[in-house]
Amino acid sequence: MTDVPADISRIHASRRSRRGPSPIIPPQSVSGQSLVLVIAIMTFLSCLTLGAVTMIRDTAAVWQTQISREATIQIKPIEGLDMDTALGTAASIVSGFSGVTGTRIVDEQATARLLEPWLGSSIDFEQLPIPRLVIVTVDRSNPPDFEAIRASLAPEIPSATLDDHRTWVDRLVAMARSMVMIGVSVLALMLTATVLTVVFATRGAMSGAGHIIDVLHFVGAEAGFIAVQFRRHFLMTGAKGAVAGGIAAVATFIAFSWWSSMNMATPGGDQAAALFGNFAIGTSGYTGVAFVVVAIAVITALTSHLTVVAYLTDIDSRQPDGG
Amino acid sequence: MIRFENVGLRYGLGPEILRDISFDLPSGSFQFLSGPSGAGKTTLLKLLFMSLKPTRGLINVFGKDRARVTRQELPLLRRRIGIVFQDFRLLDHMSTFDNVALPLRVRGREEASYRQDVAELLKWVGLGDRMHVLPPVLSGGEKQRVAIARALIEQPEILLADEPTGNVDPPLARRLLRLFIEMNRLGTAVVIATHDLNLMEQVDARRMILSDGRLDIYD
């Protein structure tokens, strides 16, 4: 008989008195830790994809809103045209249309600033045939009749043209929709890969638990009891990994958001902001991350439950087939 | 309590391992199940424990036809049977105490309600000082006694033991046998599968000898 040193017994005794009964499923194992890691990585990637799709969707919506909210009247200088009068006339004609919420004449200083990169800082408006602009703000829910505006402008100011940005808006809408569709497809693939990875990793982690199920079964545990033990254990395992992955994803978004705010005034930062907005995923993004975390934990628990039920069914229906 | 009538069992399409097995296991009885290695002792124990279904014949367990026992009823019937496996089947991450208490935990009992019973049983099998030790540091004989204590903790109506003395020296084998006899005196029917003739000679009990798939009973 092996003699166990008394101090080992005492150590175990003191542990018992602190913790109560040992858990039926061992709390930590190499496969269990690997499962937590796999779940954390897949949750992180899924949440990043979800956040990226949310950001693309929101940014695309902002592009559409901002661009289609404005139209521009461009007046080219021609012989005999009093530009200031023409600008005022154009603004007053347009203001009379319903759906127009405001007009703003881009003055000479502002025009000079716009052209400064190409023409330098000392622009002489008398010497150069520089067109002038009137910015028209429109009500998106009740847009004006742009054709009627063009028809009204043409006889009064022949050199005026109205650009309602329709071509730009149509192209942007098409591009934004394509990007959102691609993003949603990538998200669907990512979530499918995550589910499959979690399912197979959970089944792998459970493959070493067959002897526990056997013993529980032979000491008279009901299927429900065994399934609950495993479901609870793997729900905790899944939750650990999923929460870690979710927190890492949220931290990444916060870090990008912080970087974006720190670089707001720089050319790089402005370019990034123009393309991606302010790198914030918003409430819907964070809700989505929480949903992914919960869903992955539940999938892990569900997989373990189904695996246990299948194993028990196999034991109970076992026929003498050589086993 | 358990009755076999013309039970036969074959693995796959092979020959019958057990043929026309018929016997009764009355309450409070004590019997040895013996025979050469590979005679089918473990298979017969599996049939008794309802972890295998016969390919023919009738098995009646506690008044129920085995063929009609549902999956939901199986755990409830198994709780009336204690089993000691040849390979012990202890859970290595649980202490001796928790392994023995496992059948009570799976029935939803609180630890406070069984702590005293488990401690007393462990003392009774000589493991009072090994109560909180994990199985990997126990000797073969100690593991065997833990497995026996686990099978007995619920005071089963019948105890099935597969080679319970296969891993222990003769003095410990005698000690374990006394333990089974004591359980039998307390009303538990006992079936000990063994090919240890010395062990069988120590008790005047019914002998069930398996040979060539057939069972001979010597009362």
Side-chain angles (χ1 to χ4, degrees), chain A residues 12 16 22 24 217 220, chain B residues 78-79 93 98 105 111 132:
Chain A
H12 286 305
R16 259 192 60 75
S22 319
I24 287 176
H217 191 61
Chain B
R78 283 201 180 113
R79 289 176 186 183
H93 66 282
D98 286 332
R105 272 178 81 181
E111 191 188 1
H132 304 304

Side-chain angles (χ1 to χ4, degrees), chain A residues 78 98 111 119 133 141-142 151 180 207 228 240 246 269:
Chain A
I78 53 171
S98 71
T111 307
L119 302 178
L133 302 173
S141 57
N142 176 33
V180 172
S207 63
V228 164
K240 258 187 236 172

Side-chain angles (χ1 to χ4, degrees), chain A residues 78-164:
Chain A
I78 53 171
E79 278 288 323
L81 179 80
D82 179 354
M83 183 57 84
D84 289 333
T85 309
L87 287 167
T89 307
S92 69
I93 290 171
V94 173
S95 298
F97 282 86
S98 71
V100 172
T101 56
T103 58
R104 181 170 62 86
I105 296 167
V106 180
D107 60 23
E108 283 190 358
Q109 287 77 16
T111 307
R113 280 200 300 277
L114 282 172
L115 296 171
E116 193 179 327
W118 292 275
L119 302 178
S121 57
S122 53
I123 301 169
D124 186 351
F125 280 83
E126 296 300 320
Q127 300 297 318
L128 291 169
I130 295 170
R132 299 286 299 279
L133 302 173
V134 178
I135 308 293
V136 181
T137 312
V138 300
D139 180 1
R140 284 199 73 230
S141 57
N142 176 33
D145 182 349
F146 289 108
E147 284 308 313
I149 294 175
R150 284 192 186 97
S152 301
L153 285 172
E156 298 290 332
I157 314 160
S159 64
T161 53
L162 174 69
D163 181 2
D164 61 1

